Amino acid sequence: DVLVGSHPATFANGIVVDGIYQPDTNLYLVWKTPDLSIEMIFWASTDYPARLAKEDMLAIAASMQ
């Protein structure tokens, strides 16, 4: 559990592929405001070198209006 601004949110990372947990592949962030339900998903293949840090994803979410 995390906060996006003042809104409670849920952060999760990883995905299970062929029965194997891959912790660095996906990031999920889900939260609700009084007017919206928002879900952010970051996905990158294991071959792609760029990654999005949890803190960066939270900063992007907090900057949304």
Side-chain angles (χ1 to χ4, degrees):
D1 291 332
V2 295
L3 289 175
V4 173
S6 61
H7 303 288
T10 300
F11 175 85
N13 66 310
I15 190 169
V16 176
V17 176
D18 297 327
I20 300 170
Y21 176 65
Q22 298 178 8
D24 297 325
T25 305
N26 290 39
L27 301 177
Y28 303 92
L29 184 61
V30 180
W31 73 101
K32 292 182 181 180
T33 71
D35 301 317
L36 298 171
S37 178
I38 304 164
E39 181 176 337
M40 287 179 61
I41 301 170
F42 171 80
W43 176 86
S45 74
T46 55
D47 298 330
Y48 191 69
R51 293 288 179 254
L52 182 65
K54 174 183 177 180
E55 295 76 18
D56 294 333
M57 188 175 212
L58 290 170
I60 292 167
S63 72
M64 297 170 65
Q65 296 185 13

